[in-house]
Amino acid sequence: MLCILVGFCLQEAFVSRTTSTAIPRSTVATMAATRRNVLRGIGLSGLAVGGASLLAACGGDSGPATGSGATVKFGINEAEGSGPAYDRLKAIAAAYGKESDTEVKLNAVDHNTFQESINTYLQGTPDDVFTWFAGFRMAQFAEAGLISDVSDQWPIDGLNDSFKQAATAPDGKQYFVPVSYYPWALFYRKSIFEKNGWAPPESNNDFMELMKDMQGKGITPIAFGDKDGWPAMGTFDILNMRLNGFDYHMSLMAGEEKWDSDEVKGVFETWRTLLPYHQADPLGRTWQEAATSMGKGESGMYLLGTFVVDAIADQADDIDFFTFPELDSAIGADALDAPIDGFCVASAGKNQEAGKAMAKWLGSAAAADAGNAGADAPFIAANEGASTSSYNDLQKKSAEVVGAAANIAQFMDRDTNADFANTVMIPSIQAFLKDPDDIDGVTASIQEQAASIFG
Amino acid sequence: MTHIDEAPQSTEPEKAVAPNQGRAKKLPTRDRATVITMVAIPLVLVLLLVWLPAMLSVVLSFGKWNGFGDLGTIEWVGVQNYKDIFTIYPAFWPAVKHNLIWLTFLFLLPTILGMLLAVVLDREMKGSRLYQTAFYMPVVLSLALIGFIWQLFYSRDQGLINQVFNSEVDWYGDPDINLWAVLVATAWRHTGYIMLIYLAGLKGVDASLREAAAVDGASEVKTFFHVIFPVMRPINMVVIVIVVIESLRAFDLVWVINKGRNGLEVIGALVAQNVIGEATRYGFGSALAVIMMLISSIFITIYLRTVFREERNR
């Protein structure tokens, strides 16, 4: 309790000194516009301090642990009225309540507030089940004992091995139940490709030819914006997975490899050769602006998550994608970034049994179907048994591509220590983009700081 | 803000308590209780809300802690955080530099411009109220909102400036330019702020002083520099303090623009990057905050010394 109090004081001290504003991250993918983001941030900055108490809002009643008449508390990272994401979670909660005759108490918190107060939340009086992400951040909570082992609920019908792997912490047990995901790939406009007689490249040679042809026709091959710092992580991820392989990528993320190694330098060197094909001056451009340039046909392709369509909704039907081509035949091209969203059971939750039972159900096809039936826009369900009838073409293809991938990474800011990703990698990648010739300097600086953080 | 926090520490214990005892005989018990309560409550609040967290930050700055588990899980690393900040944290020295540029710029341009505007507007010209309102308007807006408004001008691909001049300047993205772009946006607000404070001060200057100067045949400019400006000393002091504080707490604008990275590093934003949000380097962030506190204290000390010296001379 004391630690929470101190944490509070600290947070309060910093907030009052600095006026906290919400942080947009890759995980806020569904937010359509920066403006909305900013306004939302302003409105919520005042709430930041009270956020944790909001999160912890709960009663102390007790009934039967599971089954009819039981109560389970469900914390979700979407505020009421925030769009389809909230509607889906609400519909899922309602469906579970009906199905199991359990009373599901929904605790809806704004996305950024939820993420920023997650530490105090989990160490205070958290809900039994809460929304979270696969990857290092899940593993970190598992190691700290803040989330419960749900391996007794696995295997879950319809969730294949790659999802099980993504739900597994380094101790070999599962602490997570996936519900949905979205892939990162190279997006393009079908009509523009058709008009110019272009086709998705099969090999790196095709890819280079395609980009040269685009440049010849006065089109910037790859749209690029990194003002917010995280979008360029996607480029690093995919280049590292193509050049050094998935296993190397994951151990690099876990802090087990050196950042000033030849492998990492190789990634930056390849990136440097590709930079002339990217939009210039990425550091002043948001991903929405970069997406707009692809939407207008000024850029040919854009490496981003499927949320790219949020920024160019008018052309949504004209958008297609392909995965990044193979760069090294020994490595192949069967790995990609596809961040998975899902649920964890909080160790400090009052009703462990009910929480675990609910978590298992949340991974089922029924849960995904209930969610997609209850909202305008569907998510791509992790469960292969889920109905795909409400999917648009992009989502159908996403499901296919991710299903075919041998390895799925979660995106750099979910795969590695959050401290490292936010305070070291974002500025370092930006430093590289500012001065692409100083690869030795950038990698040396990353390694020094990595050594200090990973210890 | 901070100078208020520090003032009670040095004055209240001696000044408020000592005369209290001396006057105790004259004051009825009830009044005495009132006085003690009025002093004690703010004192306790200041200690509890300002000094305790500040001291805890200092303590935390010697540790490494990600906020998981209780206080026992803090790994005490001595001055490692400070060493890292000074040697391997690439953002720190640029941040110090940017804060200093911020300070100098605010003094040289918006502050002087604001004073000038105040002097001009004080002359009761036609439409003076309209100008006053127009210049003051930006002050009402939060800096976060100002960051957004200026984004509409500065955006590289869709911004007004590049559209009108047909240029391709990356105003917010180019690290050599963006600090100045942000300073212009800050100045837009700061000028009005200083103008209003100064205008209020000018209205308070005794009109007979001007008349006397006019009778003696002093020109307008001479009157201002030799008569009005010295009389305005208390206001000038307030202006200086405001400028210093504003530039030290420079944060909101850069945070809205790019979270204080890529050419917009300022110390306040670095603290936030490390402790607010998903990164939870409490020790490292606290060390940065302590450094910021130390820098502020230098200015606060200078200010307080000047103020007290003045009081003594009176």
Side-chain angles (χ1 to χ4, degrees):
Chain A
M1 200 60 211
L2 180 65
C3 62
I4 298 157
L5 258 171
V6 174
F8 251 30
C9 289
L10 269 177
Q11 210 166 1
E12 222 157 314
F14 290 124
V15 167
S16 62
R17 195 168 299 160
T18 51
T19 315
S20 134
T21 313
I23 302 188
R25 311 201 41 75
S26 60
T27 46
V28 209
T30 45
M31 287 193 182
T34 338
R35 188 176 67 152
R36 222 172 79 204
N37 232 340
V38 168
L39 293 177
R40 218 166 144 189
I42 295 163
L44 282 157
S45 53
L47 279 179
V49 175
S53 51
L54 255 177
L55 279 169
C58 56
D61 52 332
S62 55
T66 47
S68 182
T71 306
V72 62
K73 291 183 202 120
F74 186 31
I76 61 173
N77 58 356
E78 291 293 342
E80 201 167 337
S82 64
Y86 170 79
D87 298 338
R88 288 192 296 258
L89 287 165
K90 194 183 167 197
I92 291 175
Y96 181 66
K98 215 183 261 175
E99 164 129 357
S100 64
D101 201 19
T102 308
E103 190 194 343
V104 181
K105 277 195 184 167
L106 208 58
N107 179 14
V109 180
D110 161 73
H111 197 97
N112 290 319
T113 314
F114 189 90
Q115 237 154 301
E116 288 172 11
S117 15
I118 188 75
N119 272 5
T120 24
Y121 171 63
L122 289 180
Q123 297 180 66
T125 47
D127 304 297
D128 301 311
V129 185
F130 66 98
T131 47
W132 198 236
F133 320 114
F136 188 94
R137 297 235 57 200
M138 175 270 294
Q140 205 176 11
F141 290 149
E143 246 164 65
L146 293 175
I147 51 177
S148 306
D149 174 7
V150 291
S151 51
D152 51 348
Q153 309 294 324
W154 281 84
I156 297 171
D157 241 10
L159 290 175
N160 68 25
D161 267 356
S162 55
F163 284 113
K164 185 170 181 183
Q165 192 195 332
T168 308
D171 66 358
K173 291 175 182 154
Q174 289 77 42
Y175 288 85
F176 177 80
V177 174
V179 64
S180 65
Y181 62 87
Y182 61 89
W184 276 64
L186 281 156
F187 290 82
Y188 64 92
R189 280 183 61 188
K190 283 185 277 193
S191 60
I192 290 183
F193 265 51
E194 260 164 45
K195 201 176 80 192
N196 290 291
W198 295 326
E202 300 286 329
S203 66
N204 192 33
N205 278 345
D206 289 358
F207 188 51
M208 297 308 285
E209 288 298 315
L210 174 64
M211 293 200 291
K212 281 182 186 135
D213 197 33
M214 285 179 172
Q215 264 184 340
K217 288 179 173 155
I219 293 176
T220 312
I222 304 178
F224 197 32
D226 194 38
K227 183 158 168 279
D228 300 314
W230 54 263
M233 289 175 166
T235 311
F236 181 91
D237 284 356
I238 199 71
L239 289 178
N240 194 24
M241 284 190 274
R242 289 289 179 270
L243 289 168
N244 301 317
F246 177 78
D247 294 336
Y248 181 86
H249 179 65
M250 292 318 281
S251 41
L252 181 69
M253 291 298 124
E256 288 155 12
E257 300 284 345
K258 286 212 178 332
W259 280 85
D260 52 1
S261 66
D262 289 341
E263 284 89 346
V264 176
K265 283 181 187 168
V267 170
F268 281 111
E269 267 150 29
T270 308
W271 197 350
R272 182 173 60 187
T273 62
L274 291 174
L275 275 181
Y277 300 104
H278 284 69
Q279 256 180 315
D281 301 337
L283 299 183
R285 193 181 293 113
T286 61
W287 68 260
Q288 289 94 341
E289 289 173 307
T292 308
S293 90
M294 184 186 77
K296 284 196 212 157
E298 292 164 2
S299 304
M301 305 171 275
Y302 191 16
L303 176 67
L304 206 73
T306 44
F307 55 86
V308 67
V309 295
D310 291 347
I312 39 173
D314 293 348
Q315 281 106 10
D317 296 335
D318 194 22
I319 304 294
D320 200 352
F321 69 91
F322 56 88
T323 50
F324 201 91
E326 177 181 292
L327 293 178
D328 179 344
S329 55
I331 301 283
D334 58 359
L336 80 164
D337 267 337
I340 301 171
D341 293 343
F343 307 94
C344 290
V345 177
S347 308
K350 295 276 176 296
N351 197 343
Q352 290 292 310
E353 247 179 277
K356 285 183 184 178
M358 180 172 177
K360 175 168 187 161
W361 184 85
L362 289 170
S364 70
D369 289 346
N372 279 342
D376 295 338
F379 53 40
I380 307 167
N383 196 300
E384 35 186 50
S387 157
T388 58
S389 59
S390 58
Y391 289 8
N392 58 29
D393 290 347
L394 212 55
Q395 286 170 315
K396 281 181 187 145
K397 185 164 175 186
S398 303
E400 246 168 64
V401 167
V402 176
N407 294 296
I408 301 172
Q410 297 299 311
F411 200 72
M412 187 187 288
D413 64 6
R414 297 186 184 191
D415 275 327
T416 189
N417 183 317
D419 298 351
F420 179 67
N422 287 291
T423 66
V424 179
M425 282 317 290
I426 289 182
S428 299
I429 290 179
Q430 290 190 332
F432 162 74
L433 294 174
K434 256 184 281 185
D435 180 12
D437 291 325
D438 188 24
I439 291 174
D440 287 344
V442 167
T443 50
S445 168
I446 298 176
Q447 176 55 28
E448 277 178 340
Q449 296 180 78
S452 168
I453 287 180
F454 288 103
Chain B
M1 197 179 122
T2 338
H3 67 285
I4 298 170
D5 304 340
E6 192 149 292
Q9 253 258 330
S10 42
T11 54
E12 248 146 30
E14 309 108 38
K15 289 208 172 175
V17 178
N20 232 359
Q21 286 169 339
R23 245 177 275 153
K25 281 167 208 154
K26 288 179 204 162
L27 283 175
T29 329
R30 223 177 106 188
D31 289 1
R32 216 176 123 195
T34 315
V35 170
I36 291 175
T37 323
M38 286 170 79
V39 172
I41 290 178
L43 187 70
V44 167
L45 284 178
V46 164
L47 284 177
L48 210 67
L49 297 179
V50 177
W51 285 101
L52 184 72
M55 286 307 124
L56 285 175
S57 293
V58 174
V59 173
L60 265 183
S61 74
F62 297 108
K64 192 175 169 185
W65 189 42
N66 61 7
F68 297 131
D70 52 28
L71 295 174
T73 60
I74 301 178
E75 188 190 325
W76 299 106
V77 293
V79 293
Q80 185 65 41
N81 287 328
Y82 292 95
K83 219 175 106 196
D84 283 358
I85 289 172
F86 292 130
T87 54
I88 64 169
Y89 191 45
F92 179 70
W93 291 111
V96 173
K97 194 177 106 192
H98 296 156
N99 273 96
L100 289 176
I101 293 178
W102 202 287
L103 179 67
T104 323
F105 177 86
L106 278 197
F107 260 118
L108 290 185
L109 271 166
T111 306
I112 293 181
L113 186 65
M115 288 160 89
L116 188 77
L117 283 174
V119 172
V120 173
L121 286 175
D122 190 39
R123 297 165 58 92
E124 307 273 318
M125 59 205 295
K126 214 175 165 190
S128 134
R129 296 221 156 208
L130 182 75
Y131 291 123
Q132 227 167 294
T133 321
F135 287 124
Y136 190 67
M137 199 73 104
V139 185
V140 191
L141 307 174
S142 76
L143 274 170
L145 197 58
I146 288 174
F148 172 67
I149 292 173
W150 281 84
Q151 164 98 53
L152 301 176
F153 291 86
Y154 283 142
S155 163
R156 181 187 181 279
D157 302 343
Q158 296 156 19
L160 184 75
I161 299 180
N162 281 353
Q163 299 279 337
V164 169
F165 295 103
N166 214 1
S167 51
E168 277 206 339
V169 181
D170 191 7
W171 294 104
Y172 271 175
D174 187 333
D176 296 329
I177 304 177
N178 58 9
L179 183 66
W180 302 102
V182 171
L183 285 173
V184 169
T186 317
W188 181 62
R189 178 180 190 266
H190 191 75
T191 307
Y193 192 21
I194 297 297
M195 179 201 75
L196 197 81
I197 292 170
Y198 221 69
L199 199 56
L202 285 172
K203 300 269 186 220
V205 173
D206 193 344
S208 59
L209 282 175
R210 283 175 208 265
E211 278 166 32
V215 168
D216 286 347
S219 70
E220 286 258 0
V221 178
K222 258 198 163 159
T223 313
F224 178 77
F225 282 109
H226 289 100
V227 180
I228 311 291
F229 193 75
V231 172
M232 296 269 289
R233 201 187 145 87
I235 300 287
N236 293 338
M237 213 61 212
V238 169
V239 167
I240 290 174
V241 172
I242 285 175
V243 173
V244 170
I245 288 172
E246 283 279 308
S247 50
L248 281 176
R249 29 164 259 169
F251 167 77
D252 338 34
L253 205 49
V254 298
W255 193 254
V256 175
I257 291 165
N258 67 3
K259 305 277 174 299
R261 302 178 181 118
N262 178 37
L264 292 184
E265 294 88 352
V266 290
I267 303 177
L270 296 188
V271 176
Q273 274 175 25
N274 281 285
V275 294
I276 297 178
E278 285 183 83
T280 48
R281 297 170 83 180
Y282 289 127
F284 195 78
S286 301
L288 282 164
V290 169
I291 293 172
M292 193 163 135
M293 190 162 80
L294 290 177
I295 300 177
S296 325
S297 339
I298 297 175
F299 288 101
I300 293 160
T301 317
I302 297 173
Y303 168 69
L304 285 176
R305 283 183 80 168
T306 329
V307 169
F308 288 141
R309 195 179 303 142
E310 229 167 71
E311 269 179 7
R312 240 172 276 138
N313 291 347
R314 224 176 263 160

